[in-house]
Amino acid sequence: MSLTTLSTVKEYLGLTGTGEASLLNRLMDWATDFIHSHCGRIFPQGGYDEYIDGDGTDTLLSHQFPIISVSSLEVDGAVKDSASFVLYAPLGLLRLKSGVFPRGKKNVRLQYTAGYAAIPKDIEQACIELVALKYYDRGSARLGVASKEGTSFVSQLPQEVRQVLDLYKRYGV
């Protein structure tokens, strides 16, 4: 699922008609995948079934956030009821009220729903900006920015896009 819509991108680019729809849809898919990869998470709301390594602490970070609900938490095959942990939903963090998540490989199973029902506007705009950069740089291997000397190609994200994405980046997993 794209982080923006075709009509929003076309409005931003000042395009009318259907001639560029296929290209813009591909660029929207690319920008969405790029943002998810850069941030280390998925933004649209969805269901997840993860096996996570226990690390001997009383906290566990999910791969996706914010967490909407937890349907099941198993530690070494034993199901924990919802009264046995505290959920810090915006962070994707669970803390056991007593005990620890024992060290082990994939010994904690977390089934949950996480993400945004409505994509945050700043993330949507970052997606639109990336589509616009790629649209105007067709055929180039890197993002381009017009300058007095012609087009200057940059291998890094524009600062304003990077600042937004870094606010939503997943750290520590």
Side-chain angles (χ1 to χ4, degrees):
M1 175 180 178
S2 182
L3 297 175
T4 190
T5 65
L6 181 60
S7 61
T8 304
V9 168
K10 288 174 72 173
E11 176 186 17
Y12 185 80
L13 294 173
L15 300 175
T16 58
T18 59
E20 301 282 358
S22 179
L23 171 63
L24 292 174
N25 279 316
R26 279 194 314 276
L27 292 176
M28 287 170 22
D29 289 345
W30 169 83
T32 295
D33 290 347
F34 180 89
I35 289 170
H36 287 156
S37 177
H38 179 84
C39 293
R41 61 187 282 207
I42 308 246
F43 289 92
Q45 189 171 311
Y48 300 92
D49 186 358
E50 295 179 358
Y51 288 86
I52 303 169
D53 296 346
D55 63 0
T57 69
D58 65 347
T59 59
L60 180 79
L61 264 175
S62 65
H63 290 94
Q64 305 301 325
F65 63 100
I67 293 179
I68 307 304
S69 64
V70 173
S71 55
S72 177
L73 174 63
E74 295 177 31
V75 179
D76 287 334
V79 176
K80 297 281 189 181
D81 79 21
S82 60
S84 67
F85 62 89
V86 177
L87 174 64
Y88 299 91
L91 303 174
L93 182 92
L94 286 87
R95 174 166 280 148
L96 292 176
K97 290 182 178 177
S98 65
V100 296
F101 293 102
R103 290 188 182 280
K105 293 286 184 192
K106 312 287 185 209
N107 62 330
V108 179
R109 182 179 186 189
L110 178 62
Q111 295 174 307
Y112 63 107
T113 301
Y116 296 96
I119 302 302
K121 292 297 181 189
D122 53 351
I123 287 291
E124 181 182 19
Q125 187 60 39
C127 185
I128 294 166
E129 301 274 340
L130 290 175
V131 169
L133 283 169
K134 278 294 195 184
Y135 178 79
Y136 290 121
D137 272 353
R138 282 180 270 186
S140 170
R142 295 184 280 175
L143 300 175
V145 179
S147 68
K148 290 180 184 177
E149 297 81 31
T151 301
S152 129
F153 295 101
V154 293
S155 60
Q156 296 184 350
L157 289 172
Q159 181 178 354
E160 58 274 8
V161 172
R162 179 179 296 282
Q163 286 174 332
V164 167
L165 298 184
D166 285 351
L167 290 173
Y168 292 91
K169 200 168 186 172
R170 163 50 79 204
Y171 295 97
V173 175

